[in-house]
mmCIF file of all heavy atoms in Angstrom:
data_model
loop_
_atom_site.group_PDB
_atom_site.id
_atom_site.type_symbol
_atom_site.label_atom_id
_atom_site.label_comp_id
_atom_site.label_asym_id
_atom_site.label_seq_id
_atom_site.Cartn_x
_atom_site.Cartn_y
_atom_site.Cartn_z
ATOM 1 N N TYR A 99 -3.613 8.576 -2.455
ATOM 2 C CA TYR A 99 -3.305 8.986 -3.827
ATOM 3 C C TYR A 99 -2.982 10.460 -3.960
ATOM 4 O O TYR A 99 -2.712 10.930 -5.066
ATOM 5 C CB TYR A 99 -4.439 8.629 -4.799
ATOM 6 C CG TYR A 99 -4.644 7.157 -4.984
ATOM 7 C CD1 TYR A 99 -5.841 6.551 -4.612
ATOM 8 C CD2 TYR A 99 -3.655 6.358 -5.545
ATOM 9 C CE1 TYR A 99 -6.041 5.185 -4.787
ATOM 10 C CE2 TYR A 99 -3.837 4.997 -5.726
ATOM 11 C CZ TYR A 99 -5.032 4.417 -5.350
ATOM 12 O OH TYR A 99 -5.221 3.075 -5.520
ATOM 13 N N ALA A 130 -2.778 12.474 -7.433
ATOM 14 C CA ALA A 130 -4.035 13.057 -7.895
ATOM 15 C C ALA A 130 -4.187 14.475 -7.340
ATOM 16 O O ALA A 130 -3.715 14.766 -6.236
ATOM 17 C CB ALA A 130 -5.204 12.185 -7.436
ATOM 18 N N GLY A 133 -2.083 13.175 -11.314
ATOM 19 C CA GLY A 133 -2.007 11.797 -11.767
ATOM 20 C C GLY A 133 -3.290 11.069 -11.431
ATOM 21 O O GLY A 133 -3.763 11.133 -10.296
ATOM 22 N N THR A 134 -3.873 10.401 -12.407
ATOM 23 C CA THR A 134 -5.100 9.642 -12.193
ATOM 24 C C THR A 134 -4.872 8.198 -12.621
ATOM 25 O O THR A 134 -3.877 7.861 -13.264
ATOM 26 C CB THR A 134 -6.277 10.235 -12.994
ATOM 27 O OG1 THR A 134 -5.946 10.208 -14.387
ATOM 28 C CG2 THR A 134 -6.573 11.672 -12.567
ATOM 29 N N ALA A 135 -5.833 7.337 -12.266
ATOM 30 C CA ALA A 135 -5.659 5.913 -12.518
ATOM 31 C C ALA A 135 -5.393 5.606 -13.982
ATOM 32 O O ALA A 135 -4.540 4.779 -14.316
ATOM 33 C CB ALA A 135 -6.897 5.157 -12.038
ATOM 34 N N ALA A 136 -6.110 6.283 -14.874
ATOM 35 C CA ALA A 136 -5.974 5.983 -16.300
ATOM 36 C C ALA A 136 -4.576 6.279 -16.818
ATOM 37 O O ALA A 136 -4.110 5.642 -17.774
ATOM 38 C CB ALA A 136 -7.000 6.790 -17.100
ATOM 39 N N PHE A 137 -3.882 7.217 -16.197
ATOM 40 C CA PHE A 137 -2.522 7.572 -16.613
ATOM 41 C C PHE A 137 -1.472 6.811 -15.815
ATOM 42 O O PHE A 137 -0.501 6.291 -16.374
ATOM 43 C CB PHE A 137 -2.316 9.085 -16.451
ATOM 44 C CG PHE A 137 -0.874 9.509 -16.577
ATOM 45 C CD1 PHE A 137 -0.222 9.441 -17.791
ATOM 46 C CD2 PHE A 137 -0.172 9.957 -15.471
ATOM 47 C CE1 PHE A 137 1.110 9.824 -17.912
ATOM 48 C CE2 PHE A 137 1.156 10.338 -15.570
ATOM 49 C CZ PHE A 137 1.799 10.268 -16.801
ATOM 50 N N VAL A 138 -1.645 6.734 -14.503
ATOM 51 C CA VAL A 138 -0.594 6.192 -13.642
ATOM 52 C C VAL A 138 -0.463 4.683 -13.784
ATOM 53 O O VAL A 138 0.656 4.146 -13.817
ATOM 54 C CB VAL A 138 -0.854 6.585 -12.169
ATOM 55 C CG1 VAL A 138 0.123 5.875 -11.232
ATOM 56 C CG2 VAL A 138 -0.746 8.100 -12.005
ATOM 57 N N ILE A 139 -1.583 3.960 -13.866
ATOM 58 C CA ILE A 139 -1.504 2.502 -13.884
ATOM 59 C C ILE A 139 -0.714 1.979 -15.083
ATOM 60 O O ILE A 139 0.173 1.117 -14.910
ATOM 61 C CB ILE A 139 -2.908 1.878 -13.800
ATOM 62 C CG1 ILE A 139 -3.486 2.115 -12.401
ATOM 63 C CG2 ILE A 139 -2.868 0.373 -14.104
ATOM 64 C CD1 ILE A 139 -4.950 1.782 -12.267
ATOM 65 N N PRO A 140 -0.955 2.440 -16.317
ATOM 66 C CA PRO A 140 -0.131 1.938 -17.420
ATOM 67 C C PRO A 140 1.351 2.250 -17.246
ATOM 68 O O PRO A 140 2.207 1.405 -17.557
ATOM 69 C CB PRO A 140 -0.708 2.655 -18.646
ATOM 70 C CG PRO A 140 -2.099 3.008 -18.267
ATOM 71 C CD PRO A 140 -2.034 3.318 -16.802
ATOM 72 N N GLU A 141 1.684 3.452 -16.753
ATOM 73 C CA GLU A 141 3.083 3.807 -16.559
ATOM 74 C C GLU A 141 3.719 2.938 -15.472
ATOM 75 O O GLU A 141 4.857 2.462 -15.614
ATOM 76 C CB GLU A 141 3.193 5.286 -16.170
ATOM 77 C CG GLU A 141 2.812 6.257 -17.278
ATOM 78 C CD GLU A 141 3.872 6.330 -18.360
ATOM 79 O OE1 GLU A 141 5.075 6.345 -18.028
ATOM 80 O OE2 GLU A 141 3.486 6.352 -19.544
ATOM 81 N N LEU A 167 -3.048 0.418 -5.889
ATOM 82 C CA LEU A 167 -2.269 0.603 -7.108
ATOM 83 C C LEU A 167 -1.478 -0.658 -7.438
ATOM 84 O O LEU A 167 -1.418 -1.082 -8.602
ATOM 85 C CB LEU A 167 -1.334 1.806 -6.943
ATOM 86 C CG LEU A 167 -0.381 2.101 -8.102
ATOM 87 C CD1 LEU A 167 -1.127 2.274 -9.411
ATOM 88 C CD2 LEU A 167 0.457 3.343 -7.783
ATOM 89 N N GLN A 221 -10.777 12.026 -6.917
ATOM 90 C CA GLN A 221 -9.628 12.689 -7.550
ATOM 91 C C GLN A 221 -8.798 11.664 -8.327
ATOM 92 O O GLN A 221 -8.327 11.921 -9.432
ATOM 93 C CB GLN A 221 -8.746 13.386 -6.508
ATOM 94 C CG GLN A 221 -9.462 14.313 -5.554
ATOM 95 C CD GLN A 221 -10.345 15.321 -6.263
ATOM 96 O OE1 GLN A 221 -9.877 16.092 -7.109
ATOM 97 N NE2 GLN A 221 -11.625 15.314 -5.934
ATOM 98 N N TRP A 222 -8.604 10.498 -7.734
ATOM 99 C CA TRP A 222 -7.837 9.440 -8.378
ATOM 100 C C TRP A 222 -8.568 8.899 -9.606
ATOM 101 O O TRP A 222 -7.955 8.576 -10.628
ATOM 102 C CB TRP A 222 -7.586 8.319 -7.367
ATOM 103 C CG TRP A 222 -6.935 7.079 -7.898
ATOM 104 C CD1 TRP A 222 -7.458 5.827 -7.924
ATOM 105 C CD2 TRP A 222 -5.618 6.955 -8.443
ATOM 106 N NE1 TRP A 222 -6.575 4.920 -8.448
ATOM 107 C CE2 TRP A 222 -5.419 5.591 -8.779
ATOM 108 C CE3 TRP A 222 -4.581 7.853 -8.687
ATOM 109 C CZ2 TRP A 222 -4.244 5.121 -9.344
ATOM 110 C CZ3 TRP A 222 -3.397 7.386 -9.248
ATOM 111 C CH2 TRP A 222 -3.236 6.028 -9.566
ATOM 112 N N ALA A 223 -9.888 8.809 -9.544
ATOM 113 C CA ALA A 223 -10.669 8.282 -10.661
ATOM 114 C C ALA A 223 -10.585 9.184 -11.882
ATOM 115 O O ALA A 223 -10.577 8.709 -13.021
ATOM 116 C CB ALA A 223 -12.133 8.100 -10.245
ATOM 117 N N GLY A 224 -10.523 10.499 -11.672
ATOM 118 C CA GLY A 224 -10.492 11.414 -12.802
ATOM 119 C C GLY A 224 -11.731 11.248 -13.654
ATOM 120 O O GLY A 224 -12.860 11.320 -13.163
ATOM 121 N N LEU A 226 -12.683 8.508 -15.099
ATOM 122 C CA LEU A 226 -13.226 7.162 -14.997
ATOM 123 C C LEU A 226 -14.291 7.084 -13.908
ATOM 124 O O LEU A 226 -14.311 7.891 -12.975
ATOM 125 C CB LEU A 226 -12.113 6.161 -14.674
ATOM 126 C CG LEU A 226 -11.004 5.992 -15.707
ATOM 127 C CD1 LEU A 226 -9.938 5.039 -15.174
ATOM 128 C CD2 LEU A 226 -11.561 5.480 -17.032
ATOM 129 N N ASP A 230 -14.860 1.684 -11.594
ATOM 130 C CA ASP A 230 -14.099 1.013 -12.650
ATOM 131 C C ASP A 230 -13.018 0.147 -12.001
ATOM 132 O O ASP A 230 -12.375 0.561 -11.026
ATOM 133 C CB ASP A 230 -13.465 2.070 -13.554
ATOM 134 C CG ASP A 230 -12.783 1.475 -14.781
ATOM 135 O OD1 ASP A 230 -11.768 0.766 -14.615
ATOM 136 O OD2 ASP A 230 -13.238 1.745 -15.901
ATOM 137 N N ARG A 232 -10.065 -0.439 -12.786
ATOM 138 C CA ARG A 232 -8.731 0.154 -12.727
ATOM 139 C C ARG A 232 -8.591 1.079 -11.530
ATOM 140 O O ARG A 232 -7.500 1.238 -10.971
ATOM 141 C CB ARG A 232 -8.450 0.929 -14.021
ATOM 142 C CG ARG A 232 -8.259 0.062 -15.245
ATOM 143 C CD ARG A 232 -8.342 0.877 -16.514
ATOM 144 N NE ARG A 232 -9.701 1.340 -16.773
ATOM 145 C CZ ARG A 232 -10.053 2.112 -17.804
ATOM 146 N NH1 ARG A 232 -9.115 2.526 -18.647
ATOM 147 N NH2 ARG A 232 -11.302 2.471 -17.979
ATOM 148 N N VAL A 233 -9.682 1.691 -11.129
ATOM 149 C CA VAL A 233 -9.684 2.613 -9.995
ATOM 150 C C VAL A 233 -9.891 1.850 -8.693
ATOM 151 O O VAL A 233 -9.233 2.127 -7.684
ATOM 152 C CB VAL A 233 -10.797 3.675 -10.173
ATOM 153 C CG1 VAL A 233 -10.766 4.694 -9.044
ATOM 154 C CG2 VAL A 233 -10.684 4.362 -11.523
ATOM 155 N N SER A 234 -10.808 0.912 -8.727
ATOM 156 C CA SER A 234 -11.166 0.092 -7.566
ATOM 157 C C SER A 234 -10.920 -1.371 -7.938
ATOM 158 O O SER A 234 -11.830 -2.063 -8.412
ATOM 159 C CB SER A 234 -12.634 0.310 -7.185
ATOM 160 O OG SER A 234 -12.864 1.649 -6.779
#
Side-chain angles (χ1 to χ4, degrees):
Y99 294 117
T134 60
F137 168 69
V138 172
I139 290 169
E141 292 287 319
L167 177 56
Q221 309 309 303
W222 174 242
L226 297 176
D230 187 293
R232 290 165 290 178
V233 183
S234 296

